[in-house]
Amino acid sequence: MKLTGRDAQAFFRKPDPTRAGVLLFGEDAMRVAHRRQEVIGALVGPEGEAEMRLTRIPASELRRDPAMLNDAIKSQGFFPGPRVAFVEDAGDGLTETIRLALEDWREGDAQVIVTAGQLAAKSKLRKLFEGHRNALSIGIYSDPPGRDEIEAALRKAGLEQVDRAAWDALEGLARQLEPGDFRQVLEKVSLYKLDDPAPLTAEEVTACAPASIEAELDDILHVVAEGRSAEIGPLVQRLEGQGVAPVTLLIMAMRHFRVLYALASAPGGPQAGLQRLRPPLFGPRRDRMLRQAQGWSADGLEAALGMLMDTDLSLRSAGQRAPAMALVERGFVRLAWLKGRR
């Protein structure tokens, strides 16, 4: 049977121990591993591996000794409780071995958990699990977690009270971060809010969020958008010393000014544009960018984007011999000067 959407999420929250086997596949190995850990942990508990109720079987070893899987399924350990036989990095070449093991599976045997990379719809292994009467196939894709998943993760972390802005902040982080990194943020937030009955706020989410390239560049982008030209030179030198490439600065600046333009040109003004912005802004950055958008006109921001495009073309010009970072710094100073005239 094939599980997708809500059915797959429900299974991850509470795996069915009566199933003979489960196939988890996807191109992102980290996401597949995260779901596999979640499923196995729910089936055998935190002490399952220590109590030898989890048998790990690499695909390479199973190819050399096909009997390993059936032995793992049927063997009985010293400790009571559910057991799992985990086959890692399987492919279509193991389809027949796994098919025989599933056909021989009986209630009370170890449940078979198989992970694989990206499998096409015609994959033999995928068809085996999708067509089996007592097995499941679940594709793990790179879509960000939905609201139900975030709610479940918050409950697991012990966070019940979350205000609206914090929800927007968490959904934004869920789109930006890998699942493991997002889980670490939730764990950090739960410790931050330990014994604090007040609702979680966007500022607290921001305080627990990991640093990113955008966060490193925020200082200079805000300085340029606010017209503080005297501060641009030292900041550019510091970023250059940290290894930030000129083209990265330009890309981030264009992204920043496109957001400001979307806010300033929105029907109803920047405040109305903020409500429709996707992905949403949150925390102190939201307030600061709103003030910046209110300080520019839509025409001024359109001119600013044109200047950034001209600088980008200069950087990419075959005949360009001036230092690239100097060109970017000059472009930023001109933007700050433009802000001063608006």
Side-chain angles (χ1 to χ4, degrees), residues 25-79:
F25 67 92
E27 62 181 356
D28 190 326
M30 179 179 289
R31 290 175 187 268
V32 173
H34 167 63
R35 289 304 191 185
R36 179 259 300 169
Q37 290 172 349
E38 191 176 358
V39 170
I40 292 178
L43 288 170
V44 303
E47 300 301 321
E49 189 161 11
E51 294 178 353
M52 296 178 289
R53 290 186 288 111
L54 170 62
T55 304
R56 297 175 181 269
I57 307 174
S60 57
E61 294 185 19
L62 186 58
R63 281 192 290 270
R64 289 196 298 268
D65 184 5
M68 287 180 67
L69 179 56
N70 205 54
D71 291 344
I73 291 172
K74 298 296 183 181
S75 65
Q76 296 293 326
F78 292 106
F79 297 90

Side-chain angles (χ1 to χ4, degrees), residues 44 146 177 235 243 268:
V44 303
L177 302 178
L235 284 172

Side-chain angles (χ1 to χ4, degrees), residues 15-28:
D16 183 356
T18 66
R19 295 290 181 177
V22 180
L23 169 67
L24 304 173
F25 67 92
E27 62 181 356
D28 190 326

